[in-house]
mmCIF file with all atom_site columns, all heavy atoms in Angstrom:
data_model
loop_
_atom_site.group_PDB
_atom_site.id
_atom_site.type_symbol
_atom_site.label_atom_id
_atom_site.label_alt_id
_atom_site.label_comp_id
_atom_site.label_asym_id
_atom_site.label_entity_id
_atom_site.label_seq_id
_atom_site.pdbx_PDB_ins_code
_atom_site.Cartn_x
_atom_site.Cartn_y
_atom_site.Cartn_z
_atom_site.occupancy
_atom_site.B_iso_or_equiv
_atom_site.pdbx_formal_charge
_atom_site.auth_seq_id
_atom_site.auth_comp_id
_atom_site.auth_asym_id
_atom_site.auth_atom_id
_atom_site.pdbx_PDB_model_num
ATOM 1   N N   . THR A 1 113 ? -14.399 -2.853  24.676 1.00 91.00 ? 123 THR A N   1
ATOM 2   C CA  . THR A 1 113 ? -13.226 -2.011  24.755 1.00 91.00 ? 123 THR A CA  1
ATOM 3   C C   . THR A 1 113 ? -12.371 -2.118  23.497 1.00 91.00 ? 123 THR A C   1
ATOM 4   O O   . THR A 1 113 ? -11.221 -1.668  23.399 1.00 91.00 ? 123 THR A O   1
ATOM 5   C CB  . THR A 1 113 ? -12.348 -2.340  25.971 1.00 91.00 ? 123 THR A CB  1
ATOM 6   O OG1 . THR A 1 113 ? -12.060 -3.717  25.928 1.00 91.00 ? 123 THR A OG1 1
ATOM 7   C CG2 . THR A 1 113 ? -13.122 -2.052  27.208 1.00 91.00 ? 123 THR A CG2 1
ATOM 8   N N   . THR A 1 114 ? -12.836 -2.851  22.449 1.00 91.00 ? 124 THR A N   1
ATOM 9   C CA  . THR A 1 114 ? -12.178 -3.023  21.177 1.00 91.00 ? 124 THR A CA  1
ATOM 10  C C   . THR A 1 114 ? -12.813 -2.308  20.133 1.00 91.00 ? 124 THR A C   1
ATOM 11  O O   . THR A 1 114 ? -13.912 -2.148  20.071 1.00 91.00 ? 124 THR A O   1
ATOM 12  C CB  . THR A 1 114 ? -12.075 -4.545  20.862 1.00 91.00 ? 124 THR A CB  1
ATOM 13  O OG1 . THR A 1 114 ? -11.564 -5.228  21.924 1.00 91.00 ? 124 THR A OG1 1
ATOM 14  C CG2 . THR A 1 114 ? -11.279 -4.796  19.666 1.00 91.00 ? 124 THR A CG2 1
ATOM 15  N N   . LYS A 1 115 ? -11.997 -1.619  19.268 1.00 88.00 ? 125 LYS A N   1
ATOM 16  C CA  . LYS A 1 115 ? -12.531 -0.782  18.274 1.00 88.00 ? 125 LYS A CA  1
ATOM 17  C C   . LYS A 1 115 ? -13.310 -1.607  17.341 1.00 88.00 ? 125 LYS A C   1
ATOM 18  O O   . LYS A 1 115 ? -12.994 -2.753  16.903 1.00 88.00 ? 125 LYS A O   1
ATOM 19  C CB  . LYS A 1 115 ? -11.373 0.053   17.550 1.00 88.00 ? 125 LYS A CB  1
ATOM 20  C CG  . LYS A 1 115 ? -10.457 -0.824  16.756 1.00 88.00 ? 125 LYS A CG  1
ATOM 21  C CD  . LYS A 1 115 ? -9.526  0.196   16.102 1.00 88.00 ? 125 LYS A CD  1
ATOM 22  C CE  . LYS A 1 115 ? -8.561  -0.553  15.164 1.00 88.00 ? 125 LYS A CE  1
ATOM 23  N NZ  . LYS A 1 115 ? -7.525  0.412   14.477 1.00 88.00 ? 125 LYS A NZ  1
ATOM 24  N N   . PRO A 1 116 ? -14.416 -0.953  16.643 1.00 88.00 ? 126 PRO A N   1
ATOM 25  C CA  . PRO A 1 116 ? -15.323 -1.666  15.847 1.00 88.00 ? 126 PRO A CA  1
ATOM 26  C C   . PRO A 1 116 ? -14.647 -2.351  14.608 1.00 88.00 ? 126 PRO A C   1
ATOM 27  O O   . PRO A 1 116 ? -14.998 -3.463  14.250 1.00 88.00 ? 126 PRO A O   1
ATOM 28  C CB  . PRO A 1 116 ? -16.280 -0.580  15.325 1.00 88.00 ? 126 PRO A CB  1
ATOM 29  C CG  . PRO A 1 116 ? -16.157 0.520   16.411 1.00 88.00 ? 126 PRO A CG  1
ATOM 30  C CD  . PRO A 1 116 ? -14.766 0.476   16.867 1.00 88.00 ? 126 PRO A CD  1
ATOM 31  N N   . GLU A 1 117 ? -13.591 -1.717  14.125 1.00 88.00 ? 127 GLU A N   1
ATOM 32  C CA  . GLU A 1 117 ? -12.922 -2.375  12.903 1.00 88.00 ? 127 GLU A CA  1
ATOM 33  C C   . GLU A 1 117 ? -12.336 -3.786  13.249 1.00 88.00 ? 127 GLU A C   1
ATOM 34  O O   . GLU A 1 117 ? -12.417 -4.707  12.386 1.00 88.00 ? 127 GLU A O   1
ATOM 35  C CB  . GLU A 1 117 ? -11.952 -1.460  12.424 1.00 88.00 ? 127 GLU A CB  1
ATOM 36  C CG  . GLU A 1 117 ? -12.473 -0.169  11.725 1.00 88.00 ? 127 GLU A CG  1
ATOM 37  C CD  . GLU A 1 117 ? -12.871 0.859   12.841 1.00 88.00 ? 127 GLU A CD  1
ATOM 38  O OE1 . GLU A 1 117 ? -12.252 0.685   13.923 1.00 88.00 ? 127 GLU A OE1 1
ATOM 39  O OE2 . GLU A 1 117 ? -13.755 1.722   12.475 1.00 88.00 ? 127 GLU A OE2 1
ATOM 40  N N   . VAL A 1 118 ? -11.834 -3.755  14.471 1.00 91.00 ? 128 VAL A N   1
ATOM 41  C CA  . VAL A 1 118 ? -11.154 -5.085  14.863 1.00 91.00 ? 128 VAL A CA  1
ATOM 42  C C   . VAL A 1 118 ? -12.217 -6.101  15.086 1.00 91.00 ? 128 VAL A C   1
ATOM 43  O O   . VAL A 1 118 ? -12.119 -7.368  14.778 1.00 91.00 ? 128 VAL A O   1
ATOM 44  C CB  . VAL A 1 118 ? -10.342 -4.869  16.032 1.00 91.00 ? 128 VAL A CB  1
ATOM 45  C CG1 . VAL A 1 118 ? -9.856  -6.279  16.671 1.00 91.00 ? 128 VAL A CG1 1
ATOM 46  C CG2 . VAL A 1 118 ? -9.114  -4.012  15.735 1.00 91.00 ? 128 VAL A CG2 1
ATOM 47  N N   . LEU A 1 119 ? -13.320 -5.694  15.747 1.00 92.00 ? 129 LEU A N   1
ATOM 48  C CA  . LEU A 1 119 ? -14.484 -6.685  16.003 1.00 92.00 ? 129 LEU A CA  1
ATOM 49  C C   . LEU A 1 119 ? -15.090 -7.131  14.642 1.00 92.00 ? 129 LEU A C   1
ATOM 50  O O   . LEU A 1 119 ? -15.279 -8.426  14.633 1.00 92.00 ? 129 LEU A O   1
ATOM 51  C CB  . LEU A 1 119 ? -15.481 -5.948  16.822 1.00 92.00 ? 129 LEU A CB  1
ATOM 52  C CG  . LEU A 1 119 ? -15.130 -5.461  18.267 1.00 92.00 ? 129 LEU A CG  1
ATOM 53  C CD1 . LEU A 1 119 ? -16.375 -4.618  18.799 1.00 92.00 ? 129 LEU A CD1 1
ATOM 54  C CD2 . LEU A 1 119 ? -14.817 -6.710  19.091 1.00 92.00 ? 129 LEU A CD2 1
ATOM 55  N N   . TRP A 1 120 ? -15.045 -6.362  13.810 1.00 91.00 ? 130 TRP A N   1
ATOM 56  C CA  . TRP A 1 120 ? -15.608 -6.744  12.442 1.00 91.00 ? 130 TRP A CA  1
ATOM 57  C C   . TRP A 1 120 ? -14.736 -7.755  11.870 1.00 91.00 ? 130 TRP A C   1
ATOM 58  O O   . TRP A 1 120 ? -15.099 -8.824  11.265 1.00 91.00 ? 130 TRP A O   1
ATOM 59  C CB  . TRP A 1 120 ? -15.784 -5.566  11.518 1.00 91.00 ? 130 TRP A CB  1
ATOM 60  C CG  . TRP A 1 120 ? -15.984 -5.895  10.102 1.00 91.00 ? 130 TRP A CG  1
ATOM 61  C CD1 . TRP A 1 120 ? -17.099 -6.406  9.521  1.00 91.00 ? 130 TRP A CD1 1
ATOM 62  C CD2 . TRP A 1 120 ? -14.971 -5.756  9.104  1.00 91.00 ? 130 TRP A CD2 1
ATOM 63  N NE1 . TRP A 1 120 ? -16.922 -6.485  8.146  1.00 91.00 ? 130 TRP A NE1 1
ATOM 64  C CE2 . TRP A 1 120 ? -15.740 -6.129  7.824  1.00 91.00 ? 130 TRP A CE2 1
ATOM 65  C CE3 . TRP A 1 120 ? -13.735 -5.254  8.908  1.00 91.00 ? 130 TRP A CE3 1
ATOM 66  C CZ2 . TRP A 1 120 ? -14.999 -6.167  6.625  1.00 91.00 ? 130 TRP A CZ2 1
ATOM 67  C CZ3 . TRP A 1 120 ? -13.071 -5.231  7.763  1.00 91.00 ? 130 TRP A CZ3 1
ATOM 68  C CH2 . TRP A 1 120 ? -13.875 -5.677  6.605  1.00 91.00 ? 130 TRP A CH2 1
ATOM 69  N N   . GLU A 1 121 ? -13.381 -7.574  11.941 1.00 93.00 ? 131 GLU A N   1
ATOM 70  C CA  . GLU A 1 121 ? -12.410 -8.541  11.424 1.00 93.00 ? 131 GLU A CA  1
ATOM 71  C C   . GLU A 1 121 ? -12.497 -9.919  12.082 1.00 93.00 ? 131 GLU A C   1
ATOM 72  O O   . GLU A 1 121 ? -12.356 -10.950 11.565 1.00 93.00 ? 131 GLU A O   1
ATOM 73  C CB  . GLU A 1 121 ? -11.080 -7.867  11.411 1.00 93.00 ? 131 GLU A CB  1
ATOM 74  C CG  . GLU A 1 121 ? -10.721 -6.848  10.461 1.00 93.00 ? 131 GLU A CG  1
ATOM 75  C CD  . GLU A 1 121 ? -9.610  -5.986  10.567 1.00 93.00 ? 131 GLU A CD  1
ATOM 76  O OE1 . GLU A 1 121 ? -9.012  -5.982  11.804 1.00 93.00 ? 131 GLU A OE1 1
ATOM 77  O OE2 . GLU A 1 121 ? -8.990  -5.407  9.777  1.00 93.00 ? 131 GLU A OE2 1
ATOM 78  N N   . LEU A 1 122 ? -12.619 -9.898  13.531 1.00 94.00 ? 132 LEU A N   1
ATOM 79  C CA  . LEU A 1 122 ? -12.701 -10.996 14.237 1.00 94.00 ? 132 LEU A CA  1
ATOM 80  C C   . LEU A 1 122 ? -13.885 -11.864 13.867 1.00 94.00 ? 132 LEU A C   1
ATOM 81  O O   . LEU A 1 122 ? -13.867 -13.034 13.730 1.00 94.00 ? 132 LEU A O   1
ATOM 82  C CB  . LEU A 1 122 ? -12.678 -10.785 15.746 1.00 94.00 ? 132 LEU A CB  1
ATOM 83  C CG  . LEU A 1 122 ? -11.237 -10.258 16.212 1.00 94.00 ? 132 LEU A CG  1
ATOM 84  C CD1 . LEU A 1 122 ? -11.332 -9.803  17.653 1.00 94.00 ? 132 LEU A CD1 1
ATOM 85  C CD2 . LEU A 1 122 ? -10.078 -11.190 15.937 1.00 94.00 ? 132 LEU A CD2 1
ATOM 86  N N   . GLU A 1 123 ? -15.163 -11.156 13.687 1.00 93.00 ? 133 GLU A N   1
ATOM 87  C CA  . GLU A 1 123 ? -16.216 -11.933 13.367 1.00 93.00 ? 133 GLU A CA  1
ATOM 88  C C   . GLU A 1 123 ? -16.166 -12.434 11.858 1.00 93.00 ? 133 GLU A C   1
ATOM 89  O O   . GLU A 1 123 ? -16.592 -13.454 11.550 1.00 93.00 ? 133 GLU A O   1
ATOM 90  C CB  . GLU A 1 123 ? -17.488 -10.829 13.434 1.00 93.00 ? 133 GLU A CB  1
ATOM 91  C CG  . GLU A 1 123 ? -17.779 -10.549 14.857 1.00 93.00 ? 133 GLU A CG  1
ATOM 92  C CD  . GLU A 1 123 ? -18.291 -11.588 15.594 1.00 93.00 ? 133 GLU A CD  1
ATOM 93  O OE1 . GLU A 1 123 ? -18.619 -12.664 15.063 1.00 93.00 ? 133 GLU A OE1 1
ATOM 94  O OE2 . GLU A 1 123 ? -18.714 -11.347 16.777 1.00 93.00 ? 133 GLU A OE2 1
ATOM 95  N N   . ARG A 1 124 ? -15.362 -11.725 11.017 1.00 93.00 ? 134 ARG A N   1
ATOM 96  C CA  . ARG A 1 124 ? -15.236 -12.206 9.637  1.00 93.00 ? 134 ARG A CA  1
ATOM 97  C C   . ARG A 1 124 ? -14.432 -13.505 9.746  1.00 93.00 ? 134 ARG A C   1
ATOM 98  O O   . ARG A 1 124 ? -14.679 -14.458 8.995  1.00 93.00 ? 134 ARG A O   1
ATOM 99  C CB  . ARG A 1 124 ? -14.497 -11.153 8.860  1.00 93.00 ? 134 ARG A CB  1
ATOM 100 C CG  . ARG A 1 124 ? -14.121 -11.590 7.433  1.00 93.00 ? 134 ARG A CG  1
ATOM 101 C CD  . ARG A 1 124 ? -13.353 -10.585 6.793  1.00 93.00 ? 134 ARG A CD  1
ATOM 102 N NE  . ARG A 1 124 ? -12.954 -10.967 5.408  1.00 93.00 ? 134 ARG A NE  1
ATOM 103 C CZ  . ARG A 1 124 ? -13.671 -10.554 4.276  1.00 93.00 ? 134 ARG A CZ  1
ATOM 104 N NH1 . ARG A 1 124 ? -14.777 -9.901  4.424  1.00 93.00 ? 134 ARG A NH1 1
ATOM 105 N NH2 . ARG A 1 124 ? -13.292 -10.952 3.030  1.00 93.00 ? 134 ARG A NH2 1
ATOM 106 N N   . ALA A 1 125 ? -13.444 -13.478 10.624 1.00 94.00 ? 135 ALA A N   1
ATOM 107 C CA  . ALA A 1 125 ? -12.580 -14.822 10.684 1.00 94.00 ? 135 ALA A CA  1
ATOM 108 C C   . ALA A 1 125 ? -13.304 -16.025 11.291 1.00 94.00 ? 135 ALA A C   1
ATOM 109 O O   . ALA A 1 125 ? -12.956 -17.123 11.067 1.00 94.00 ? 135 ALA A O   1
ATOM 110 C CB  . ALA A 1 125 ? -11.363 -14.451 11.465 1.00 94.00 ? 135 ALA A CB  1
ATOM 111 N N   . ARG A 1 126 ? -14.456 -15.681 12.038 1.00 93.00 ? 136 ARG A N   1
ATOM 112 C CA  . ARG A 1 126 ? -15.285 -16.710 12.555 1.00 93.00 ? 136 ARG A CA  1
ATOM 113 C C   . ARG A 1 126 ? -16.375 -17.173 11.637 1.00 93.00 ? 136 ARG A C   1
ATOM 114 O O   . ARG A 1 126 ? -17.027 -18.194 12.029 1.00 93.00 ? 136 ARG A O   1
ATOM 115 C CB  . ARG A 1 126 ? -15.821 -16.258 14.009 1.00 93.00 ? 136 ARG A CB  1
ATOM 116 C CG  . ARG A 1 126 ? -14.904 -16.172 14.987 1.00 93.00 ? 136 ARG A CG  1
ATOM 117 C CD  . ARG A 1 126 ? -15.609 -15.473 16.317 1.00 93.00 ? 136 ARG A CD  1
ATOM 118 N NE  . ARG A 1 126 ? -16.786 -16.102 16.554 1.00 93.00 ? 136 ARG A NE  1
ATOM 119 C CZ  . ARG A 1 126 ? -17.008 -17.295 17.177 1.00 93.00 ? 136 ARG A CZ  1
ATOM 120 N NH1 . ARG A 1 126 ? -15.903 -17.989 17.652 1.00 93.00 ? 136 ARG A NH1 1
ATOM 121 N NH2 . ARG A 1 126 ? -18.232 -17.695 17.428 1.00 93.00 ? 136 ARG A NH2 1
ATOM 122 N N   . GLY A 1 127 ? -16.588 -16.561 10.562 1.00 92.00 ? 137 GLY A N   1
ATOM 123 C CA  . GLY A 1 127 ? -17.614 -16.897 9.671  1.00 92.00 ? 137 GLY A CA  1
ATOM 124 C C   . GLY A 1 127 ? -17.488 -18.258 8.936  1.00 92.00 ? 137 GLY A C   1
ATOM 125 O O   . GLY A 1 127 ? -16.442 -18.763 8.772  1.00 92.00 ? 137 GLY A O   1
ATOM 126 N N   . ASP A 1 128 ? -18.659 -18.742 8.427  1.00 93.00 ? 138 ASP A N   1
ATOM 127 C CA  . ASP A 1 128 ? -18.716 -19.902 7.641  1.00 93.00 ? 138 ASP A CA  1
ATOM 128 C C   . ASP A 1 128 ? -17.842 -19.774 6.408  1.00 93.00 ? 138 ASP A C   1
ATOM 129 O O   . ASP A 1 128 ? -17.849 -18.816 5.685  1.00 93.00 ? 138 ASP A O   1
ATOM 130 C CB  . ASP A 1 128 ? -20.086 -20.312 7.268  1.00 93.00 ? 138 ASP A CB  1
ATOM 131 C CG  . ASP A 1 128 ? -20.997 -20.676 8.600  1.00 93.00 ? 138 ASP A CG  1
ATOM 132 O OD1 . ASP A 1 128 ? -20.325 -21.054 9.529  1.00 93.00 ? 138 ASP A OD1 1
ATOM 133 O OD2 . ASP A 1 128 ? -22.165 -20.430 8.474  1.00 93.00 ? 138 ASP A OD2 1
ATOM 134 N N   . GLY A 1 129 ? -16.989 -20.845 6.166  1.00 95.00 ? 139 GLY A N   1
ATOM 135 C CA  . GLY A 1 129 ? -16.321 -20.897 4.899  1.00 95.00 ? 139 GLY A CA  1
ATOM 136 C C   . GLY A 1 129 ? -14.990 -19.965 4.962  1.00 95.00 ? 139 GLY A C   1
ATOM 137 O O   . GLY A 1 129 ? -14.477 -19.871 3.970  1.00 95.00 ? 139 GLY A O   1
ATOM 138 N N   . PHE A 1 130 ? -14.694 -19.514 6.142  1.00 95.00 ? 140 PHE A N   1
ATOM 139 C CA  . PHE A 1 130 ? -13.474 -18.587 6.265  1.00 95.00 ? 140 PHE A CA  1
ATOM 140 C C   . PHE A 1 130 ? -12.180 -19.417 5.847  1.00 95.00 ? 140 PHE A C   1
ATOM 141 O O   . PHE A 1 130 ? -11.278 -18.826 5.243  1.00 95.00 ? 140 PHE A O   1
ATOM 142 C CB  . PHE A 1 130 ? -13.247 -17.938 7.590  1.00 95.00 ? 140 PHE A CB  1
ATOM 143 C CG  . PHE A 1 130 ? -12.147 -16.985 7.615  1.00 95.00 ? 140 PHE A CG  1
ATOM 144 C CD1 . PHE A 1 130 ? -12.241 -15.818 7.003  1.00 95.00 ? 140 PHE A CD1 1
ATOM 145 C CD2 . PHE A 1 130 ? -10.967 -17.361 8.311  1.00 95.00 ? 140 PHE A CD2 1
ATOM 146 C CE1 . PHE A 1 130 ? -11.099 -14.852 7.179  1.00 95.00 ? 140 PHE A CE1 1
ATOM 147 C CE2 . PHE A 1 130 ? -9.890  -16.536 8.274  1.00 95.00 ? 140 PHE A CE2 1
ATOM 148 C CZ  . PHE A 1 130 ? -10.003 -15.247 7.753  1.00 95.00 ? 140 PHE A CZ  1
ATOM 149 N N   . GLU A 1 131 ? -12.054 -20.646 6.240  1.00 95.00 ? 141 GLU A N   1
ATOM 150 C CA  . GLU A 1 131 ? -10.780 -21.381 5.894  1.00 95.00 ? 141 GLU A CA  1
ATOM 151 C C   . GLU A 1 131 ? -10.658 -21.573 4.393  1.00 95.00 ? 141 GLU A C   1
ATOM 152 O O   . GLU A 1 131 ? -9.527  -21.337 3.876  1.00 95.00 ? 141 GLU A O   1
ATOM 153 C CB  . GLU A 1 131 ? -10.913 -22.834 6.621  1.00 95.00 ? 141 GLU A CB  1
ATOM 154 C CG  . GLU A 1 131 ? -10.824 -22.735 8.080  1.00 95.00 ? 141 GLU A CG  1
ATOM 155 C CD  . GLU A 1 131 ? -10.783 -24.198 8.630  1.00 95.00 ? 141 GLU A CD  1
ATOM 156 O OE1 . GLU A 1 131 ? -10.809 -25.131 7.897  1.00 95.00 ? 141 GLU A OE1 1
ATOM 157 O OE2 . GLU A 1 131 ? -10.681 -24.255 9.950  1.00 95.00 ? 141 GLU A OE2 1
ATOM 158 N N   . GLN A 1 132 ? -11.670 -21.736 3.705  1.00 97.00 ? 142 GLN A N   1
ATOM 159 C CA  . GLN A 1 132 ? -11.650 -21.862 2.244  1.00 97.00 ? 142 GLN A CA  1
ATOM 160 C C   . GLN A 1 132 ? -11.187 -20.548 1.692  1.00 97.00 ? 142 GLN A C   1
ATOM 161 O O   . GLN A 1 132 ? -10.535 -20.382 0.694  1.00 97.00 ? 142 GLN A O   1
ATOM 162 C CB  . GLN A 1 132 ? -12.877 -22.278 1.684  1.00 97.00 ? 142 GLN A CB  1
ATOM 163 C CG  . GLN A 1 132 ? -13.271 -23.824 2.012  1.00 97.00 ? 142 GLN A CG  1
ATOM 164 C CD  . GLN A 1 132 ? -13.972 -24.027 3.441  1.00 97.00 ? 142 GLN A CD  1
ATOM 165 O OE1 . GLN A 1 132 ? -14.080 -23.123 4.116  1.00 97.00 ? 142 GLN A OE1 1
ATOM 166 N NE2 . GLN A 1 132 ? -14.307 -25.191 3.611  1.00 97.00 ? 142 GLN A NE2 1
ATOM 167 N N   . ALA A 1 133 ? -11.878 -19.419 2.225  1.00 96.00 ? 143 ALA A N   1
ATOM 168 C CA  . ALA A 1 133 ? -11.524 -18.062 1.816  1.00 96.00 ? 143 ALA A CA  1
ATOM 169 C C   . ALA A 1 133 ? -10.100 -17.703 2.037  1.00 96.00 ? 143 ALA A C   1
ATOM 170 O O   . ALA A 1 133 ? -9.479  -17.069 1.194  1.00 96.00 ? 143 ALA A O   1
ATOM 171 C CB  . ALA A 1 133 ? -12.467 -17.050 2.407  1.00 96.00 ? 143 ALA A CB  1
ATOM 172 N N   . LEU A 1 134 ? -9.557  -18.117 3.126  1.00 97.00 ? 144 LEU A N   1
ATOM 173 C CA  . LEU A 1 134 ? -8.097  -17.885 3.434  1.00 97.00 ? 144 LEU A CA  1
ATOM 174 C C   . LEU A 1 134 ? -7.237  -18.591 2.445  1.00 97.00 ? 144 LEU A C   1
ATOM 175 O O   . LEU A 1 134 ? -6.228  -18.102 2.081  1.00 97.00 ? 144 LEU A O   1
ATOM 176 C CB  . LEU A 1 134 ? -7.917  -18.388 4.917  1.00 97.00 ? 144 LEU A CB  1
ATOM 177 C CG  . LEU A 1 134 ? -6.494  -17.965 5.440  1.00 97.00 ? 144 LEU A CG  1
ATOM 178 C CD1 . LEU A 1 134 ? -6.099  -16.566 5.463  1.00 97.00 ? 144 LEU A CD1 1
ATOM 179 C CD2 . LEU A 1 134 ? -6.285  -18.596 6.955  1.00 97.00 ? 144 LEU A CD2 1
#
Side-chain angles (χ1 to χ4, degrees):
T123 57
T124 304
K125 66 179 184 178
E127 293 79 23
V128 173
L129 295 177
W130 168 72
E131 288 168 335
L132 294 177
E133 290 291 356
R134 179 185 179 93
R136 287 175 46 80
D138 293 338
F140 182 76
E141 290 184 359
Q142 291 82 357
L144 182 59

